[in-house]
Amino acid sequence: MTAWRQQGELWTLEPTARPRGLIEFIGGSYLAATPQLSYRRLLETLAVRGWRIHAWSYVPGFDHQAQANGAWRLFRQVREQQVGPAEAPLIRLGHSLGCKLHLLAPDGGRRCDGLVALSFNNFSAERSIPFLAELGQQFRFRSEFSPSPEDTLRQIASSYRQPRNLVVRFSRDTIDQSGRLIGVLQARAGDASTLLELPGDHLTPASGGLRKQFLGDWADDPARQRGMERLAEQISAWCHTRS
């Protein structure tokens, strides 16, 4: 596996073997600014399995639709600059807010082979950042995401066209909203979405393996590494069961 490379707002990682396909990743919340560190363990584990990785670095804002559009354009631009096997699958992978941004992509999911949504989160801005309601009233600025949580679900129901979606919920995740998402997806005609529940919490996909990197194998948590291997294997296996 080669080292991480930065191309503007994207961090890319190439496997040493012939690529099996491309994963376009968007992380969530404050973790998204440094995906090559915050999600290093998961993304590198996927790369070991032959996946090329494109991970977007961004700071979440209020206009989620604008950010979804920008991410989609950037992924497409970098993808078109690179040469790869035409038959290789293109998978979108998101965590938390990253799931929402993939679901709001302007192509409605048509130009990929599926979405893996980890710990989907669609809370309001006031729920996500409680003091925003007071500040918004005081300084007269927008204190809600665009689109709002309910508008997001309506937009997915009416405009999202990708039938293949793997929605992953972790058993101890107290802020997960995968149940609402899978309900909206499966209500669409011709839907092939599935819900998978795994052990873990909201931050299970996020791990940089820093203790192992700086202190050595003895400082690592073997259970966490096994969990990441299991998650990567589930994702990789699902990606290769294209209908």
Side-chain angles (χ1 to χ4, degrees):
M1 182 174 61
T2 57
W4 284 97
R5 295 180 55 195
Q6 187 173 12
Q7 294 183 248
E9 295 177 341
L10 284 191
W11 284 89
T12 67
L13 185 63
E14 295 287 331
T16 54
R18 178 181 173 86
R20 301 170 65 182
L22 171 63
I23 288 177
E24 295 179 337
F25 176 76
I26 304 179
S29 187
Y30 58 90
L31 300 167
T34 56
Q36 82 287 3
L37 299 177
S38 302
Y39 296 94
R40 177 178 177 178
R41 196 190 296 257
L42 172 61
L43 298 179
E44 290 188 357
T45 302
L46 287 166
V48 166
R49 285 163 169 73
W51 292 95
R52 298 166 60 203
I53 304 295
H54 290 178
W56 184 39
S57 170
Y58 75 105
V59 176
F62 284 95
D63 194 336
H64 290 167
Q65 186 62 68
Q67 291 197 298
N69 295 347
W72 179 80
R73 286 193 296 267
L74 183 60
F75 281 131
R76 183 182 63 178
Q77 177 184 352
V78 173
R79 188 169 66 245
E80 290 175 349
Q81 294 172 352
Q82 299 183 352
V83 178
E87 70 280 3
L90 166 62
I91 301 297
R92 294 174 182 171
L93 172 63
H95 174 236
S96 194
L97 172 60
C99 306
K100 176 178 178 177
L101 299 185
H102 272 314
L103 288 160
L104 293 176
D107 69 347
R110 295 177 182 85
R111 298 182 184 179
C112 70
D113 294 289
L115 166 68
V116 179
L118 308 175
S119 301
F120 174 70
N121 183 287
N122 186 37
F123 283 129
S124 66
E126 294 178 3
R127 172 77 181 271
S128 301
I129 315 172
F131 63 85
L132 280 179
E134 180 179 346
L135 289 179
Q137 293 175 0
Q138 181 176 355
F139 296 104
R140 297 182 181 179
F141 70 86
R142 174 189 289 171
S143 60
E144 182 53 280
F145 298 133
S146 177
S148 68
E150 291 305 319
D151 286 342
T152 295
L153 295 176
R154 282 192 287 268
Q155 186 168 327
I156 293 169
S158 63
S159 304
Y160 186 66
R161 295 289 179 261
Q162 174 55 245
R164 294 192 67 246
N165 304 278
L166 177 64
V167 180
V168 181
R169 176 171 59 198
F170 295 97
S171 58
R172 300 188 307 277
D173 189 343
T174 59
I175 59 174
D176 178 89
Q177 294 178 300
S178 296
R180 295 202 69 186
L181 175 60
I182 196 69
V184 170
L185 291 172
Q186 292 181 340
R188 304 173 305 156
D191 182 74
S193 300
T194 57
L195 177 65
L196 172 67
E197 182 163 319
L198 296 174
D201 56 31
H202 195 74
L203 294 180
T204 290
S207 171
L210 294 179
R211 289 187 299 177
K212 179 179 180 179
Q213 180 181 352
F214 291 111
L215 300 177
D217 290 344
W218 68 269
D220 197 20
D221 181 356
R224 191 173 187 86
Q225 180 59 39
R226 288 194 298 271
M228 202 65 73
E229 293 280 350
R230 181 170 59 248
L231 176 58
E233 187 57 41
Q234 294 270 15
I235 293 172
S236 189
W238 179 85
C239 290
H240 281 287
T241 58
R242 291 184 291 174
S243 56

